[in-house]
């Protein structure tokens, strides 16, 4: 990755332009500094410029930590370029630090020779103390291995909005727009779309709109006119090659909402969503609430149990019931999931995973709910499980969840995580006609002899009929106590329970017949090493395998979407490799499932720091299989990477 910095002997001026293939920028500041907004709007401008991109917003866990403290730092990282971008980047080229705490928690992530842009106006004695600095790092030489550009952004912002008569506190809220203006200049971005966005956002308060626009323009003008110095120059990243079509940026939460609506439309159903606010799943509710014109009803329940039970009730009534949460909420929904399984009703359950257990790491990412998804209910309670690999892939996975749920009359769990839910990437909007409909057929007349209704009469796939309550002549009973085959009469005799338990299992196992065979994502079938992943590990695994193959290593990447049931050919495929490595953001859960199902010697590569994998971490693990050192190959835990994302522990307190 090319640096955005000028050569040391170039004496680069503000008018000189660099042309790197890709750049990683991280915006960091207090959680009240608007870093997520700044990053989001910079992402918009980057998408409009035609670059491929991947983002990673990183929030503090506290709702509002004390201002200026290490605990309150909020960061937003974006990797953009003219080539294919799979991850948010291992190390930033540029760090924008709005206060001492932001600098301290993020600077070790910056690559050597990278650029620091710091708001010197915030490096007051009080703020330095909050960040545990004894002296200002802007003056003591501790930042010498990076290029430093420090100036008083606060004062420059106040000056730019002075004509609008804002109070000091309100005026300083425009700092993020001033900073964004400078970033737009530095990376050759158009301001016009963001100016229009500001006018719309503050349509009811034109003074605030004008003040923010003035700050944006002032930051841009500063880059154009100020003698910034030879350590930085303007950067232009060419557009990435892409298939012609309509593109937009989406987060995982956006894509899931759109995919659920599309899936309901393909099934010919209205959709009911019952949810309860929880990080990072709440955005799905927020997005679906805006889509009511597509037959979507949203319901914010009083708790997690009420949310899923309402969704089950909607499915019983003939709509597509959907609910979502994160790990703690999924645990609360567990009993009701069993009800959906035994009543054999379609239901979509979305788990946006976060660090656990209990409240754990509410704003950090993890993949530690796989056991919960596959096994985590009382009784033998099988249900299909699907995992999205990226924000845009969540759209297709949501449709697939709807297809399986309605085709097989079963609840389905869709796994994402904090990284996928919050991250953004370009998405080519698909042609609606390219999707095969899977319309639902409700039972309209008695399906038994002598006009008898048999709610548990199964077809050749083991699927019972879906009956809308109130359909004339089709009064029936379903419920949580074991039912007799076909009739649905109460019957919890040993023989009946054995038969119905086997029938539910066989039905879910049969889903494997309708899912695609597992393909090799990168590489070839058979060889020395397969790196097997699921979920959001896709990007770093793919890039690491690509780099390793470029060095001549016999390694392939296999990424699994259908976690349960697993693709029918997966076991045979895995056995064609000498070794199997499974990187996961947990302590080895999918590795255990693969060992259990296929008796393969899968080795784990585990990371549970709340941070996504870096490409280099997986690349290093792959290399151990090819270094010729006896006994060196095999999985291990990845140590906490204090240089990757904001880390209070890594701030050398």
């Amino acid at each position: 990755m090319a640096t955005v910095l000028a050569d040391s002997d170039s004496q680069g001026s503000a008018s000189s332009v660099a042309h790197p293939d890709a750049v990683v920028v991280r915006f960091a500041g207090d959680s009240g500094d608007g870093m997520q907004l700044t990053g989001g709007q910079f992402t918009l401008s980057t998408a409009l410029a035609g670059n491929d991109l991947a983002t990673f917003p990183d929030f503090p866990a506290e709702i509002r930590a004390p201002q200026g403290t290490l605990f309150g730092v909020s960061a937003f990282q974006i990797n953009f370029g003219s080539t294919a971008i799979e991850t948010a980047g291992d190390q930033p080229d540029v760090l924008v630090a709005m206060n001492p705490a932001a600098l301290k928690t993020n600077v070790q992530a910056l690559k050597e020779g990278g650029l620091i842009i710091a708001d010197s106006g915030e490096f007051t004695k009080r703020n330095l103390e909050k960040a545990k600095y004894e002296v200002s790092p802007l003056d003591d030489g501790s930042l010498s291995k990076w290029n430093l550009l420090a100036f008083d952004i606060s004062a420059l912002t106040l000056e730019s909005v002075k004509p609008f008569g804002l109070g000091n506190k309100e005026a300083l809220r425009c700092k993020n727009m001033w900073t964004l203006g400078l970033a737009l200049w530095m990376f050759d971005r158009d301001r016009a779309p963001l100016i229009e966005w500001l006018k719309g956002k503050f349509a009811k308060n034109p003074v605030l709109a004008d003040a923010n626009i003035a700050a944006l323009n002032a930051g841009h003008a500063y880059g154009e006119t100020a003698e910034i110095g030879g350590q930085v120059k303007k950067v232009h990243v060419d557009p990435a090659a892409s298939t012609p079509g309509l593109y937009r940026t989406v987060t995982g939460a956006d894509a899931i909402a759109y995919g659920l609506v599309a899936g309901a439309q393909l099934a010919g159903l209205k959709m009911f969503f019952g949810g309860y606010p929880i990080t990072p799943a709440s955005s799905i509710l927020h997005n679906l609430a805006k889509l009511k014109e597509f037959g979507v009803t949203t319901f914010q329940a009083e708790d997690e149990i009420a949310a899923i039970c309402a969704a089950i009730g909607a499915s019983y009534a003939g709509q597509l019931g959907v609910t979502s949460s994160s790990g703690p909420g999924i645990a609360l929904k567990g009993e009701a999931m069993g009800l959906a399984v035994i009543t054999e009703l379609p239901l979509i359950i979305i788990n946006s995973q976060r660090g656990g257990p209990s409240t754990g790491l509410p704003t950090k990412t993890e993949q530690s709910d796989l056991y919960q998804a596959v096994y985590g209910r009382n009784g033998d309670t099988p249900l299909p499980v699907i995992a999205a690999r990226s924000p845009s892939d969540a759209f297709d996975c949501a449709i697939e969840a709807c297809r399986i749920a309605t085709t097989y009359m079963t609840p389905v769990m869709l796994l994402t995580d904090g990284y996928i839910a919050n991250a953004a990437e370009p998405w080519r909007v698909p042609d609606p006609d390219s999707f095969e409909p899977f319309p639902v057929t409700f039972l309209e007349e008695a399906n038994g002899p002598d006009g008898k209704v048999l709610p548990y009469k199964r077809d050749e796939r083991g699927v019972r009929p879906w009956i809308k309550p109130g359909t004339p002549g089709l009064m029936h009973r379903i419920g949580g106590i074991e039912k007799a085959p076909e009739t649905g009469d109460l019957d919890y005799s040993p023989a009946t329970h054995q038969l119905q338990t086997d029938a539910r299992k066989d039905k879910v196992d049969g889903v494997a017949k309708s899912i695609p065979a597992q393909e090799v994502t990168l590489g070839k079938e058979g060889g020395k090493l397969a790196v097997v992943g699921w979920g959001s590990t896709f990007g770093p695994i793919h890039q690491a395998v690509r780099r390793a193959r470029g060095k001549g290593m016999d390694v392939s990447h296999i990424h699994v979407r259908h976690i349960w049931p697993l693709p029918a050919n997966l076991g045979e495929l895995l056995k064609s490799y000498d070794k199997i490595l499974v990187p996961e953001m947990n302590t080895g859960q999918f590795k255990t499932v693969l060992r259990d199902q296929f008796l393969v010697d899968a080795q784990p590569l585990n990371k549970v720091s709340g941070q996504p994998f870096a490409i280099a971490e997986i690349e290093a693990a792959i290399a151990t299989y090819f270094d010729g050192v006896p006994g060196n190959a095999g999985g291990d835990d990845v140590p906490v990477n204090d240089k990757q994302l904001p880390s209070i522990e890594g701030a050398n307190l």
Side-chain angles (χ1 to χ4, degrees), residues 17-192:
V17 179
H19 291 266
D21 293 331
V23 178
V24 180
V25 180
R26 184 181 297 179
F27 300 93
D30 194 77
S31 56
D33 284 337
M35 292 297 94
Q36 303 305 322
L37 183 65
T38 302
Q41 292 308 303
F42 187 79
T43 299
L44 172 62
S45 71
T46 300
L48 291 172
N51 300 131
D52 197 10
L53 64 93
T55 72
F56 187 72
D58 192 66
F59 311 93
E62 291 77 11
I63 293 174
R64 188 66 176 92
Q67 190 170 2
T69 62
L70 296 166
F71 295 95
V73 174
S74 178
F76 186 101
Q77 183 163 307
I78 176 171
N79 182 8
F80 59 98
S82 57
T83 58
I85 301 296
E86 304 283 2
T87 76
D90 283 9
Q91 291 181 286
D93 298 285
V94 178
L95 170 63
V96 179
M98 303 300 288
N99 63 13
L103 178 67
K104 189 161 197 176
T105 56
N106 287 275
V107 71
Q108 294 302 323
L110 190 64
K111 65 174 54 175
E112 189 168 344
L115 174 65
I116 300 168
I117 299 175
D119 179 6
S120 60
E122 289 295 315
F123 280 69
T124 62
K125 185 175 184 296
R126 174 95 172 119
N127 282 345
L128 289 168
E129 289 174 352
K130 289 180 182 178
K132 312 298 182 184
Y133 279 120
E134 294 183 3
V135 296
S136 174
L138 305 183
D139 305 320
D140 67 358
S142 61
L143 305 177
S144 59
K145 67 179 179 180
W146 301 287
N147 287 278
L148 175 63
L149 180 61
F151 48 90
D152 196 339
I153 295 175
S154 299
L156 290 166
T157 301
L158 290 173
E159 183 65 26
S160 68
V161 302
K162 193 173 182 180
F164 303 97
L166 302 179
N168 194 67
K169 185 176 181 180
E170 203 166 32
L172 284 174
R173 287 177 180 163
C174 300
K175 268 200 316 183
N176 61 333
M177 286 298 111
W178 195 100
T179 307
L180 180 59
L182 178 63
L184 294 179
W185 167 80
M186 183 182 297
F187 295 103
D188 198 20
R189 296 281 182 262
D190 184 8
R191 283 168 288 161

Side-chain angles (χ1 to χ4, degrees), residues 296-314:
V296 178
T297 300
T298 54
F299 168 58
Q300 181 174 312
E302 65 269 27
D303 56 43
E304 297 282 9
I305 299 170
I308 187 173
C309 288
I312 292 171

Side-chain angles (χ1 to χ4, degrees), residues 404-475:
I404 293 174
T406 56
T407 302
Y408 289 88
M409 292 291 286
T410 178
V412 176
M413 187 174 291
L414 172 56
L415 296 176
T416 69
D417 58 40
Y419 177 76
I420 291 175
N422 295 323
E425 66 180 4
W427 174 54
R428 184 169 179 261
V429 180
D431 179 359
D433 294 334
S434 66
F435 293 96
E436 187 71 29
F438 39 87
V440 165
T441 300
F442 292 98
L443 190 66
E444 300 288 347
E445 57 186 25
N447 60 342
D450 303 321
K452 194 169 185 178
V453 181
L454 302 176
Y456 283 91
K457 182 180 181 181
R458 302 181 184 278
D459 63 15
E460 66 280 0
R461 300 163 304 160
V463 179
R464 79 168 188 87
W466 196 355
I467 309 172
K468 282 188 181 180
T471 304
L474 298 185
M475 185 179 296

